[in-house]
Amino acid sequence: MGFILYLIVGGIIGWLAGLILGKDVPGGVIGNIIAGIIGAWIGGLLFPNFGPVIADIAIIPALLGAIILILIVSFVMKSMNKKR
């Protein structure tokens, strides 16, 4: 049950980060889940764990990490499209 909750929270974090930035995460729902989970990992490394924690994910650092991840991915995708 904890793993499913972890995936749900990761998906919501990725979705919120995409909404905040106004960018779609490539991959749809799966992309949102991946962005949320990797964003939680990045946020945990860059920022101390603070704020509410759901399913072992600190929400505020995870959201900040997902925003950073989506910005990096969108920058890389944009630069790859310009080279074509």
Side-chain angles (χ1 to χ4, degrees), residues 6-75:
Y6 191 77
L7 292 177
I8 291 170
V9 172
I12 292 171
I13 293 292
W15 174 71
L16 283 174
L19 282 179
I20 290 170
L21 292 175
K23 299 178 186 271
D24 289 330
V25 177
V29 174
I30 302 298
N32 284 335
I33 292 170
I34 292 170
I37 291 171
I38 295 175
W41 180 73
I42 291 170
L45 291 176
L46 296 177
F47 308 105
N49 289 332
F50 60 92
V53 176
I54 300 174
D56 292 334
I57 296 177
I59 301 300
I60 296 170
L63 186 59
L64 294 174
I67 289 171
I68 291 169
L69 177 69
I70 291 172
L71 285 173
I72 291 170
V73 168
S74 65
F75 175 74

